[in-house]
Amino acid sequence: MSESERMPERGRASENERAPESGRASGSGRAPESGRASGSGRMPESGIRSENRRRLEYQEFSYQVVNDGICILRCYGENGRVEIPEQLEGLPVTELSDYAFAEKMEQEPEYTGELTCICGELLEELYLPGTIRRLGRYVFYNCVRFRRLSFYSDIAYMGAGGFTGCGRLSQLVVHQTEGKSCLREILQDLKQAVTVACYPALEPSVLAQPEGAGRNSEGSGGNSEGSGRNSEGSGRNSEGSGRNSEGSGRNSERGGSEAPLWRLVFPEFFEEAVENTPARIISTQTHGMGIQYRNTFRNTQIIFQEYDKLFEMGKYNIDFINILNMAVSRLMFPYCLESSAGGEYGGWLREHWKESAFCLLEQESRSELCWLAEEFAGTGEEVETLIQAANDKKDTQMVSKLMDISHKRFPKKVRRFSL
């Protein structure tokens, strides 16, 4: 048998005939220049929705063709913000490979460009298009600085250990589509506190209402008992309503001012292995209310009534910052919020008004603080106290907004004298 006819060792195909792994295309299916995509691989402005409409920094990708789609192997760029394109070479980007963003992977793809591989501790933010259907095993393994993920809810498969070591991932932005949602599966892998902001991928009227939780006219905008004011403005914010601070679960750099459909906070939980020595059995015990909040799903959809019922217990068992953000989020974006639940959230905010306001100021959550001042400040003196605190922090933007609220809500009477 000649050299050209020899069967590959151990049944493996030769370099030009290698069988695709897990349905992946062979080396000949790669794009030229080691499968790299440059500027042409960037998502078009008119394409899939993204929180960030700005032109992101230059990016390149190593990838393979798989089942009439593209599987991303590695991403290269100038900083930790990565936006996966919707298409490459006219094919939809449908997968992230195993260990795609891990610091090390089993076989590093060839790359001759000058950009840095965004993996491990370099990854900070990731924006996935609506074409993604599969996330590989350990795709974000030990991405210790990864803090924000934007994705569509119809991801069909997620490999084991995908979020292992992602202890700082605290902001999820989900674009809700019809059908099953992958949100709960992701939340179960994240034990830390997570804020989830939901934007409809379709028109809200097209999306199916969550089971057992219709939109309540009294509660959907908040109510007078819960928010301290009529709900005409409870579902909107003050001047800064279209934007939240970086840590609030929305992106302040969006091209528009559209508010999310809803925003929820899922507290932390942790697991403890307990050994029963005589029986040689190790059992796992779960602590913290985070697991209870993550169990408020039915058929992969969040049940808002079940979520809101947990607040009565949560306000005594969840740390102040998370319970504050939970109450503010539910009243600012009151999707499927019943009037009784709105009253519970609003009552807690009224009781803790001052410390809540100063906490939001410390977090630089400007739009939330403006909303709180508009809805819950009882006197002009309370707003003046916030203005002074913002001035002490040299936050001129916040000072200006609070002064506008003070003048609008508590106008000073002009004294008139007659001679």
Side-chain angles (χ1 to χ4, degrees):
M1 182 181 298
S2 65
E3 186 71 22
S4 61
E5 297 172 337
R6 184 176 302 164
M7 182 178 296
E9 295 182 26
R10 302 179 64 86
R12 293 171 54 191
S14 63
E15 184 64 23
N16 294 328
E17 299 173 347
R18 185 173 298 166
E21 298 178 15
S22 303
R24 293 177 179 172
S26 64
S28 61
R30 291 186 179 181
E33 299 184 19
S34 303
R36 293 192 291 118
S38 57
S40 61
R42 186 178 293 114
M43 183 188 302
E45 288 293 321
S46 59
I48 201 160
R49 288 185 55 181
S50 169
E51 300 83 329
N52 185 5
R53 295 286 185 182
R54 296 190 315 152
R55 179 185 177 94
L56 295 179
E57 286 73 12
Y58 189 67
Q59 297 179 143
E60 293 181 339
F61 305 90
S62 291
Y63 56 89
Q64 287 181 318
V65 177
V66 48
N67 295 332
D68 297 325
I70 296 292
C71 176
I72 298 293
L73 303 177
R74 282 297 203 191
C75 301
Y76 310 90
E78 297 176 341
N79 61 38
R81 301 177 65 187
V82 176
E83 183 172 359
I84 302 297
E86 188 177 23
Q87 290 186 348
L88 289 172
E89 292 191 354
L91 294 175
V93 177
T94 58
E95 297 185 20
L96 299 184
S97 73
D98 298 347
Y99 299 92
F101 288 94
E103 185 174 0
K104 296 180 180 179
M105 63 190 317
E106 295 176 357
Q107 184 177 358
E108 195 74 30
E110 180 183 354
Y111 175 71
T112 58
E114 299 179 353
L115 297 176
T116 302
C117 180
I118 307 302
C119 60
E121 65 178 12
L122 296 182
L123 178 66
E124 296 180 6
E125 300 181 19
L126 177 64
Y127 301 86
L128 298 178
T131 53
I132 291 290
R133 293 292 176 268
R134 180 185 178 94
L135 301 181
R137 297 178 301 112
Y138 299 97
V139 60
F140 305 116
Y141 182 73
N142 270 356
C143 293
V144 295
R145 296 176 60 193
F146 187 23
R147 57 184 174 81
R148 180 182 178 87
L149 172 65
S150 173
F151 62 99
Y152 281 68
S153 64
D154 54 357
I155 297 175
Y157 174 84
M158 287 187 287
F163 295 93
T164 301
C166 299
R168 294 187 184 179
L169 181 54
S170 60
Q171 301 174 47
L172 299 180
V173 177
V174 56
H175 297 273
Q176 183 176 335
T177 63
E178 288 189 290
K180 292 185 177 181
S181 171
C182 63
L183 175 59
R184 183 175 185 268
E185 189 173 354
I186 293 177
L187 286 171
Q188 294 283 13
D189 282 347
L190 301 174
K191 297 178 174 61
Q192 64 271 23
V194 180
T195 299
V196 181
C198 174
Y199 294 86
L202 305 172
E203 291 298 324
S205 58
V206 177
L207 294 173
Q209 288 287 319
E211 182 181 348
R215 182 185 285 271
N216 186 293
S217 59
E218 283 186 288
S220 66
N223 62 80
S224 57
E225 179 185 357
S227 65
R229 294 182 62 195
N230 189 295
S231 129
E232 182 182 357
S234 183
R236 56 146 178 91
N237 293 332
S238 57
E239 185 177 347
S241 63
R243 298 164 297 140
N244 282 347
S245 62
E246 187 175 351
S248 65
R250 296 177 60 202
N251 193 332
S252 61
E253 297 173 354
R254 285 192 63 173
S257 60
E258 181 184 0
L261 182 65
W262 52 260
R263 193 177 74 195
L264 301 178
V265 176
F266 291 84
E268 66 180 347
F269 72 97
F270 67 94
E271 297 174 338
E272 178 184 20
V274 179
E275 180 181 5
N276 185 335
T277 304
R280 296 183 179 179
I281 296 175
I282 296 179
S283 60
T284 301
Q285 295 182 359
T286 304
H287 305 275
M289 289 198 65
I291 194 64
Q292 293 171 258
Y293 275 91
R294 286 161 173 79
N295 286 335
T296 56
F297 286 77
R298 188 180 306 158
N299 297 327
T300 75
Q301 303 297 325
I302 183 72
I303 305 302
F304 291 90
Q305 290 176 340
E306 298 298 319
Y307 178 95
D308 293 329
K309 285 179 182 178
L310 293 174
F311 185 75
E312 179 60 33
M313 183 186 304
K315 61 187 179 183
Y316 301 111
N317 295 282
I318 300 174
D319 63 280
F320 183 85
I321 291 179
N322 280 311
I323 206 70
L324 165 62
N325 290 334
M326 183 183 297
V328 169
S329 294
R330 283 304 279 143
L331 289 176
M332 281 185 70
F333 311 105
Y335 184 71
C336 294
L337 179 64
E338 295 187 342
S339 58
S340 57
E344 289 288 333
Y345 290 118
W348 186 91
L349 284 175
R350 282 199 307 276
E351 182 180 351
H352 301 88
W353 143 256
K354 187 174 182 179
E355 53 191 325
S356 296
F358 280 95
C359 184
L360 292 174
L361 180 61
E362 191 65 29
Q363 291 182 140
E364 298 184 357
S365 300
R366 294 187 177 93
S367 59
E368 286 84 353
L369 181 56
C370 287
W371 173 85
L372 191 70
E374 278 204 334
E375 300 295 333
F376 287 91
T379 64
E381 288 73 17
E382 290 180 338
V383 181
E384 288 295 332
T385 302
L386 290 179
I387 292 174
Q388 183 59 50
N391 189 56
D392 292 342
K393 289 177 63 68
K394 302 187 185 311
D395 190 340
T396 55
Q397 183 181 3
M398 195 72 250
V399 169
S400 176
K401 290 183 177 182
L402 288 172
M403 289 181 68
D404 288 342
I405 293 172
S406 178
H407 294 156
K408 182 168 61 175
R409 286 205 57 200
F410 308 102
K412 293 181 180 180
K413 295 181 179 180
V414 179
R415 294 185 178 181
R416 303 196 178 191
F417 299 91
S418 58
L419 300 177

